[in-house]
Amino acid sequence: MEIGADTLVCDLLTRYPAVFDVFERHGMCTDCRAAPPPVPLGHFVNKHCNGDLPGFVQELRRRILETEPNP
């Protein structure tokens, strides 16, 4: 899965549930785990990560590699 500004948060969390902890560290509430928001990743990053999309995507990829045998 290509991860970018237009990737929907809900799609990412559905495909890679283990990355929720990355979102949680950056301010996503636990309610969003049950019903992930259908917003683009860029929106989340602008709101919670000071717009650092490359840094956030790097954190996501690192977590995916830690938890997925063949991402």
Side-chain angles (χ1 to χ4, degrees):
M1 171 181 215
E2 189 67 31
I3 301 172
D6 295 327
T7 303
L8 294 181
V9 171
C10 58
D11 292 345
L12 193 56
L13 288 169
T14 297
R15 182 153 182 192
Y16 304 110
V19 300
F20 179 77
D21 64 337
V22 176
F23 283 96
E24 190 175 44
R25 277 197 307 275
H26 289 278
M28 180 177 273
C29 67
T30 53
D31 289 342
C32 290
R33 181 178 223 155
V39 298
L41 187 59
H43 174 79
F44 179 86
V45 169
N46 286 335
K47 186 174 180 182
H48 296 281
C49 307
N50 297 318
D52 183 14
L53 183 65
F56 191 75
V57 170
Q58 183 178 22
E59 283 187 61
L60 291 172
R61 287 188 178 137
R62 189 176 314 120
R63 184 67 176 133
I64 291 166
L65 288 174
E66 291 172 355
T67 59
E68 297 286 321
N70 295 309

